[in-house]
Amino acid sequence: MNDIRYTALTEKDTLQLGADIALIIRTGDILALSGDLGAGKSTFARGLIRHLLDDSEQEVASPTYTLCNIYETTPPISHFDLYRLTEPQELDELGFEEAVETGCVIVEWPEKGFENLPANAAHIEIGSDDAHVRSFKFSGNEEFLGRISRSLKIRKLLNENGFQDVIRKPLDGDASARRYEMVYRKGKASHLLMDAPEMPDGPPVKNGLPYSKIAHLAENVSAFVAIGQTLTEEGFAAPAISAMDLEAGLLLVENLGDGKIIDADRIPIKERYEAAVVFLAEMHCHTFETSVRLPNGDVYLISEYDHDAIMIETELLLEWYVPEFSKQGISEKQRSAFYEIWDALAAILKTHEQTLVLRDFHSPNIIWRPAETGTGRIGIIDFQDAVIGPTAYDVASLAQDARVDVSKELETLLVDRYIQQRTGKNAQFDAEHFKTGYAIMSAQRATKILGIFCRLNKRDGKPQYMDHIPRIQDYLKRSLNHPVLKSYKSWIETVIEL
């Protein structure tokens, strides 16, 4: 990657630059700050450290005399000043190597460290024309430069759309590769920044196509824009978009609030889950256009949740869950039986009512908005993978919430409430037909999620998702009691542990 250049016109800009870099640092990062006395090295470091401390008034002293100041941030920061070093070995005596292993390191006067500085350091050269205007040149570690470039693109998007003085704070991500930041304006969490660069398709897995293409997963932010636009046009509460860079994969969207449908102990709040399923019933009465024109003139086509998508998702169980939980491995005959079973079940799903399904309609993606009325009480996010599919899909997402324990009693209540709501608007709504589709769809989702969570653990190094496995196993057991799943139940009992 080429060097990155940035100009800070004021001391405030330099502090903000430090804060923006703080958002992307990780354990093991080394920032080597070069520049004359008074160039702004300590000011930049102060902005970075204050942001991690979440205290804009915190005194951050230069380590000129102490040589190293340590801050218990996340990750920990060790701020070195090597100006007074006389011998290279003094760097080791200061605990530099340990600091790199356990946190992030900022080094002023890195040239004093001689050859002892690791080769993967990111170099930041700071020049100053006068007391305020500073020029920054970032070079070195390409991976780190990529993160810096990304953070600066976000700041540029904010500045160009009237959000110059906002504060950015990172949010925990989801199971995807997307990043999120909360944007604070005048002390209020006003917007959410979605950082989702276009993802590569990955290697072909079937018929020359990657998994994302077959499963119809969003590969860029255009999907979020299109689905959000579609939902708001029909009167549903999706976040408004205040700024976007479709090419870069950046969206600044309205913060719908922090209301949850679960309590502090992560227990479902019955009335809110019920309101959410009524929302679904209302949404499923609408007809949605499958061709959506984007603000840049492009057209986004909402995919159909077709046979191939259903099958590629269920196969995740064979690829990731079975190796961990099978009784004696799996034979080719058992593998073939699995495909035959799901071929038949997928064919049944195609006979069921099809509409827009959000695909991840569960507690993390549902915002409770008590000040609103009707369907407006339900705000929806993280819907970029929406497709045209069976109405039972989202009901299963909610009634068998993958992130929290939904009792069998509450699940039954939610399904019955959905049927009641649909029947109230259409006397011809076939409740038993829907229940059959719900059983298949809930089993398909549980099958897929068991595979995904094992994959997140094994491939992506995220063992925390294994904590959810017992819950998903229990959901699958419930679904298997429906007669339409008799063959699949027999297969499960033969091949794997639940």
Side-chain angles (χ1 to χ4, degrees), residues 171-190:
L171 290 176
D172 290 336
D174 53 18
S176 75
R178 292 182 292 270
R179 280 183 65 254
Y180 295 94
E181 296 176 2
M182 187 62 75
V183 175
Y184 290 80
R185 200 175 199 181
K186 297 180 179 179
K188 180 183 177 182
S190 62

Side-chain angles (χ1 to χ4, degrees), residues 98-315:
E98 181 181 354
V100 173
E101 291 176 353
T102 59
C104 175
V105 170
I106 301 173
V107 186
E108 295 189 39
W109 300 100
E111 55 271 24
K112 296 285 188 174
F114 305 98
E115 72 278 1
N116 287 35
L117 279 186
N120 67 333
H123 294 274
I124 305 175
E125 299 176 41
I126 307 175
S128 179
D129 295 336
D130 56 36
H132 298 297
V133 178
R134 286 155 178 157
S135 61
F136 291 80
K137 176 185 174 184
F138 298 88
S139 60
N141 185 328
E142 287 201 8
E143 189 276 332
F144 191 22
L145 289 184
R147 283 185 270 141
I148 292 174
S149 175
R150 197 75 189 163
S151 191
L152 295 181
K153 279 184 180 179
I154 292 171
R155 178 56 64 183
K156 182 173 183 287
L157 178 73
L158 294 171
N159 288 345
E160 290 177 349
N161 288 276
F163 291 82
Q164 290 88 348
D165 296 322
V166 298
I167 295 173
R168 301 157 52 194
K169 294 185 180 180
L171 290 176
D172 290 336
D174 53 18
S176 75
R178 292 182 292 270
R179 280 183 65 254
Y180 295 94
E181 296 176 2
M182 187 62 75
V183 175
Y184 290 80
R185 200 175 199 181
K186 297 180 179 179
K188 180 183 177 182
S190 62
H191 291 76
L192 188 72
L193 190 288
M194 181 189 296
D195 178 6
E198 185 163 356
M199 300 301 295
D201 288 335
V205 295
K206 183 177 288 187
N207 299 328
L209 296 175
Y211 179 89
S212 59
K213 287 287 187 188
I214 300 170
H216 304 306
L217 300 180
E219 295 173 348
N220 54 57
V221 296
S222 294
F224 185 95
V225 174
I227 302 300
Q229 182 177 311
T230 298
L231 290 166
T232 53
E233 286 174 355
E234 294 296 325
F236 299 109
I241 299 176
S242 298
M244 69 178 79
D245 184 336
L246 296 181
E247 183 177 349
L250 298 173
L251 297 178
L252 184 67
V253 304
E254 173 190 11
N255 176 21
L256 293 179
D258 57 4
K260 296 178 172 58
I261 63 171
I262 57 176
D263 65 19
D265 296 319
R266 299 192 58 77
I267 304 299
I269 300 172
K270 172 179 167 292
E271 295 77 11
R272 297 182 186 181
Y273 269 74
E274 193 170 357
V277 87
V278 169
F279 167 92
L280 284 179
E282 178 63 27
M283 192 183 85
H284 292 165
C285 291
H286 285 240
T287 299
F288 295 90
E289 295 293 331
T290 58
S291 177
V292 184
R293 186 166 295 280
L294 299 172
N296 66 355
D298 291 345
V299 174
Y300 179 83
L301 299 177
I302 303 176
S303 298
E304 177 188 353
Y305 190 59
D306 54 22
H307 176 274
D308 288 346
I310 293 171
M311 295 302 293
I312 198 72
E313 290 184 339
T314 59
E315 288 174 25

Side-chain angles (χ1 to χ4, degrees), residues 363-388:
S363 53
N365 300 331
I366 300 172
I367 309 298
W368 179 248
R369 307 168 78 217
E372 305 297 329
T373 59
T375 59
R377 292 182 299 170
I378 300 297
I380 43 179
I381 58 174
D382 204 12
F383 42 69
Q384 58 276 341
D385 292 327
V387 289
I388 302 299

